[in-house]
Amino acid sequence: MKEKIVFYFHGKDGKGESPRSQMFRNLLPADVKLVCPTIPFGATESLDVADKAVMDVMLENVNAQADVVVVGMSLGGWLATVVCETWGFKNCILINPSLSPATSLPRSGVSKEEADKYFAVSPISGSTIFCANRDELFDFATIAKDWEPFCDVRHVSGDHKFDKTVQTEMVVAEMKKKLGL
């Protein structure tokens, strides 16, 4: 049987072990390996930590085939996209993603100099993208139109935190679908 692995990358100021990751853990089958590293802020630093987390898990499974899903929330959406591109993963789920951090981070108090270290990315073709209709940071009604031709964009009720149980259940249902469960 193939290993089932989910990598979850949180947003700015988040933590790997959080109420959201615990909800994911509680809703996923016990045999799914959920990897939730705490990602430091900073383009280079976050990429280094994410790459090490993926490398460690993939080396553990070097002789086994694995179904992998990469999930990213907000700034973690940027990181999830880069990880998918780097590692060749096809199953990506983005939640209120910040895919142009150099533009969005200054709105949350980050200096332009620091924000400019983040390069813009486009979602991986076939990604599932959850966009909250009352997001305080992003205007997904406009942004998501560019993604709809090659991604499954889902406009859902909620704000940027995306912290309602029903929202988490939607994301976990998509994880299970992409894992073939």
Side-chain angles (χ1 to χ4, degrees):
M1 186 161 99
K2 283 184 172 183
E3 284 282 328
K4 308 287 186 187
I5 302 167
V6 174
F7 292 99
Y8 170 65
F9 301 115
H10 58 78
K12 181 179 171 287
D13 301 328
K15 300 223 180 304
E17 290 304 319
S18 65
R20 178 173 288 105
S21 63
Q22 190 57 51
M23 284 177 64
F24 288 160
R25 198 172 309 286
N26 291 342
L27 293 168
L28 285 167
D31 61 338
V32 173
K33 181 174 193 136
L34 180 63
V35 182
C36 309
T38 295
I39 302 296
F41 182 72
T44 302
E45 298 86 347
S46 64
L47 288 169
D48 288 347
V49 169
D51 197 51
K52 182 177 181 338
V54 173
M55 187 179 307
D56 289 349
V57 170
M58 298 314 288
L59 284 173
E60 287 173 15
N61 296 288
V62 73
N63 293 320
Q65 290 187 337
D67 289 321
V68 176
V69 175
V70 182
V71 180
M73 165 104 191
S74 191
L75 188 57
W78 173 82
L79 189 56
T81 301
V82 175
V83 165
C84 284
E85 289 174 348
T86 302
W87 286 85
F89 298 138
K90 303 292 183 214
N91 292 321
C92 189
I93 300 172
L94 306 176
I95 307 163
N96 295 332
S98 173
L99 300 182
S100 298
T103 303
S104 61
L105 284 171
R107 291 193 300 256
S108 64
V110 174
S111 73
K112 180 166 176 19
E113 179 182 46
E114 185 63 32
D116 283 345
K117 294 177 184 175
Y118 289 85
F119 49 89
V121 296
S122 293
I124 302 295
S125 182
S127 294
T128 301
I129 306 174
F130 292 92
C131 301
N133 63 349
R134 292 186 312 278
D135 193 296
E136 312 84 76
L137 300 178
F138 307 110
D139 177 13
F140 288 117
T142 303
I143 299 170
K145 287 181 181 169
D146 294 336
W147 305 333
E148 287 172 348
F150 59 95
C151 294
D152 177 9
V153 178
R154 300 184 189 174
H155 297 275
V156 297
S157 179
D159 59 18
H160 189 73
K161 295 275 187 207
F162 212 81
D163 57 2
K164 304 288 185 257
T165 301
V166 68
Q167 295 164 334
T168 302
E169 289 170 347
M170 286 188 292
V171 172
V172 170
E174 189 63 19
M175 288 179 198
K176 290 178 181 178
K177 178 180 164 190
K178 289 185 180 287
L179 290 169
L181 299 174

